[in-house]
Amino acid sequence: MTVQSCILPRKTRGHKGIQGTPVESYEGILVHDHDPSYYRYGSVHQKCMVHILRYLKDSMENEPDRTWNRQMHGLVREMIHAVNQSEEGKLGQEGQQ
């Protein structure tokens, strides 16, 4: 699988900010911040993991009595770590170090 990244900081958000960028004709997995404008482009969507972690952290701070948010935050961080190690060749076939 080939992974390509393109980060496009723009002054304008929404469709106006997307105009004239490669996103207009992109047909792959589009990773973004959940701005509704992006759902008109790409073929598959994934929310940026940094944004997911940020939302979970906000939930932990604003809802300290909840436990699901801490568990999910830990799980997401573990998954990111496992993927990073796998990409560096540190994990074996079974996901073991």
Side-chain angles (χ1 to χ4, degrees), residues 6 8-10 12 14-26 41:
C6 181
L8 300 166
R10 307 287 285 192
T12 305
H15 298 294
K16 196 171 189 176
I18 294 170
Q19 290 176 340
T21 70
V23 172
E24 286 186 297
S25 60
Y26 186 69
Y41 308 95

Side-chain angles (χ1 to χ4, degrees), residues 22-86:
V23 172
E24 286 186 297
S25 60
Y26 186 69
E27 292 298 323
I29 300 171
L30 192 58
V31 180
H32 54 86
D33 65 354
H34 200 53
D35 182 316
S37 304
Y38 289 107
Y39 288 100
R40 292 178 68 183
Y41 308 95
S43 58
V44 178
H45 298 268
Q46 176 183 322
K47 185 180 277 192
C48 171
M49 296 305 284
V50 170
H51 285 85
I52 291 173
L53 288 172
R54 187 179 302 149
Y55 298 148
L56 289 167
K57 185 177 177 193
D58 287 345
S59 176
M60 291 185 312
E61 291 172 359
N62 295 318
E63 302 171 297
D65 56 320
R66 308 285 172 114
T67 58
W68 71 267
N69 46 17
R70 285 177 171 63
Q71 293 169 339
M72 184 60 73
H73 189 270
L75 177 61
V76 170
R77 287 181 56 110
E78 285 179 35
M79 290 188 301
I80 292 170
H81 182 68
V83 167
N84 289 341
Q85 284 191 325
S86 176

